Amino acid sequence: MDYAITVDQVTRVFTRRGSEPFHALRGISFDVPYGEIFGFLGPNGAGKTTTIRILATLLLPTSGRATVAGYDVERDFAAVRPLIGLVSGGETSGYGILTVEEQLWMFSQFYGMPTREARDKIEAYLRLVGMWDSRRLQMNRLSTGMRQKVNLVRGLVTDPKVLFLDEPTLGVDVEASVVIRHIVRDWVAARADRCVILTTHYMAEADELCSRVAIVNRGLILANAAPSQLKQGLDSKVHYEITLDRLDSTRVQQLAARTGLGSELTLTTDKVTNKPMLIAHLQHEADIGVLIAALSGAGSTLEYMRKLEPSLEDAFLNLVGRTFEDEEEESPAVS
Ligand SMILES: Nc1ncnc2c1ncn2[C@@H]1O[C@H](COP(=O)(O)OP(=O)(O)O)[C@@H](O)[C@H]1O
Ligand SMILES: [Mg+2]
């Protein structure tokens, strides 16, 4: 298979004067075929940006090998560079005093794009992200959302084979995030010979955009699979919350005896309505029918029912043993 990216046992150690060597990447391996949006999901300090910087030839791996579009990132970096684009969140990149239009033009010329093609593409992409009317604004006058839309345009105009998006929606307002996500998805969908590597610490973003997601933590890949697979792997039970007009513990016991679902039922109270709520952790999905029939037989009327779908958040919790927020507080400060 012809891969856009191959990464084989890559490590990266940072040495800082006066402190122990820091292992930011501890041997990661993954491959990404063309036509895919591949997600790197992990908390701050996980090693996402370090990986992107190595693939974008801005940083050398300490050991291991990586290729981008078939070229070795270390040996053939000069061949890799014209084929890639890099858009980072948080970056205040470029030259603030230039206008949106001037800055994009300048980048297109760095890449040696023909004048006509550059002008046409800049206009088309600026219109697409809704920034054409803002083309004469100075870069340093833009909101984060506007700036990230321009940065995305900058990443797209050169039509890279591999586009790296490092937290492209970090700190961006909801509306701009939606625009950015749509454009990224359409861009890949229309080009089977292109690929996007996206890092994010927004679970929902990875879930929505990526065909595959690597969960990274402390320099290691803990899982690499389709989001649906990551969620499936969690547990085989199906969870329901059922709010009823009335139900008490005696009835739940009777219900348990009749259906044989005793160990799978918990009675609590619906926080919103204060009505009794039955939580069912079912081994077999089909048992939900049995349970509902038994409930109405017991004289309870069902008011509200919700199936709890597992999230990538649960997948992360399951793999790492704690939540994202807990992790973030532990990332060491960089000087
Ligand atoms: N140039 C550097 N010097 C020293 N440590 C670094 C350097 N760059 C990154 N690190 C450390 O490596 C770890 C991974 O960083 P990074 O790849 O930026 O994580 P992420 O992008 O997942 O938040 C962090 O703990 C960070 O402090
Ligand atoms: Mg980062």
Side-chain angles (χ1 to χ4, degrees), residues 14 16 22 24 42-51 166-167 331-334:
F14 288 111
R16 278 176 282 186
F22 182 78
N44 283 335
K48 303 184 295 296
T49 298
T50 302
T51 307
D166 193 8
E167 313 243 11
S331 66
V334 200

Side-chain angles (χ1 to χ4, degrees), residues 69-142:
Y71 296 105
D72 190 290
V73 293
E74 224 170 315
R75 209 182 45 225
D76 308 322
F77 65 91
V80 171
R81 285 183 185 169
L83 301 177
I84 61 174
L86 170 61
V87 175
S88 300
E91 78 180 300
T92 47
S93 84
Y95 300 85
I97 54 162
L98 293 187
T99 66
V100 166
E101 197 172 44
E102 287 166 347
Q103 132 128 335
L104 291 171
W105 173 251
M106 190 183 73
F107 271 98
S108 75
Q109 296 314 293
F110 284 168
Y111 273 79
M113 286 177 75
T115 308
R116 183 75 216 203
E117 185 192 343
R119 285 205 192 289
D120 289 351
K121 278 194 170 161
I122 289 170
E123 176 171 351
Y125 279 118
L126 279 179
R127 287 190 187 279
L128 193 63
V129 298
M131 287 289 293
W132 179 244
D133 292 340
S134 309
R135 65 188 180 282
R136 304 245 154 82
L137 291 182
Q138 262 175 245
M139 285 301 291
N140 57 16
R141 296 280 166 83
L142 304 182

Side-chain angles (χ1 to χ4, degrees), residues 93-287:
S93 84
Y95 300 85
I97 54 162
L98 293 187
T99 66
V100 166
E101 197 172 44
E102 287 166 347
Q103 132 128 335
L104 291 171
W105 173 251
M106 190 183 73
F107 271 98
S108 75
Q109 296 314 293
F110 284 168
Y111 273 79
M113 286 177 75
T115 308
R116 183 75 216 203
E117 185 192 343
R119 285 205 192 289
D120 289 351
K121 278 194 170 161
I122 289 170
E123 176 171 351
Y125 279 118
L126 279 179
R127 287 190 187 279
L128 193 63
V129 298
M131 287 289 293
W132 179 244
D133 292 340
S134 309
R135 65 188 180 282
R136 304 245 154 82
L137 291 182
Q138 262 175 245
M139 285 301 291
N140 57 16
R141 296 280 166 83
L142 304 182
S143 68
T144 308
M146 291 166 103
R147 194 175 61 233
Q148 278 307 92
K149 288 198 279 187
V150 175
N151 285 341
L152 180 65
V153 170
R154 195 199 70 218
L156 295 176
V157 282
T158 59
D159 199 23
K161 280 189 90 64
V162 179
L163 178 62
F164 298 103
L165 300 176
D166 193 8
E167 313 243 11
T169 60
L170 188 73
V172 168
D173 59 283
V174 176
E175 226 180 299
S177 297
V178 169
V179 171
I180 290 171
R181 285 179 195 145
H182 272 220
I183 289 169
V184 170
R185 200 189 354 219
D186 291 350
W187 188 78
V188 176
R191 292 165 183 79
D193 58 345
R194 298 289 187 266
C195 142
V196 169
I197 311 291
L198 172 102
T199 81
T200 182
H201 63 260
Y202 301 128
M203 304 274 182
E205 181 165 276
D207 202 358
E208 183 189 327
L209 285 183
C210 302
S211 36
R212 261 183 329 132
V213 172
I215 294 187
V216 281
N217 191 44
R218 299 185 180 174
L220 289 174
I221 293 180
L222 303 182
N224 175 357
S228 59
Q229 260 176 305
L230 288 173
K231 290 184 278 186
Q232 259 170 26
L234 285 176
D235 73 39
S236 50
K237 289 185 185 171
V238 224
H239 308 273
Y240 284 94
E241 286 178 354
I242 308 165
T243 306
L244 303 124
D245 63 339
R246 58 201 159 107
L247 189 69
D248 57 34
S249 52
T250 318
R251 288 217 186 242
V252 173
Q253 274 166 20
Q254 290 167 357
L255 205 68
R258 209 173 315 145
T259 59
L261 296 173
S263 62
E264 300 173 33
L265 303 178
T266 314
L267 181 64
T268 120
T269 307
D270 187 322
K271 282 197 200 86
V272 181
T273 60
N274 263 330
K275 298 249 170 99
M277 181 163 85
L278 193 63
I279 299 180
H281 310 280
L282 302 176
Q283 209 79 250
H284 307 288
E285 175 115 47
D287 283 340

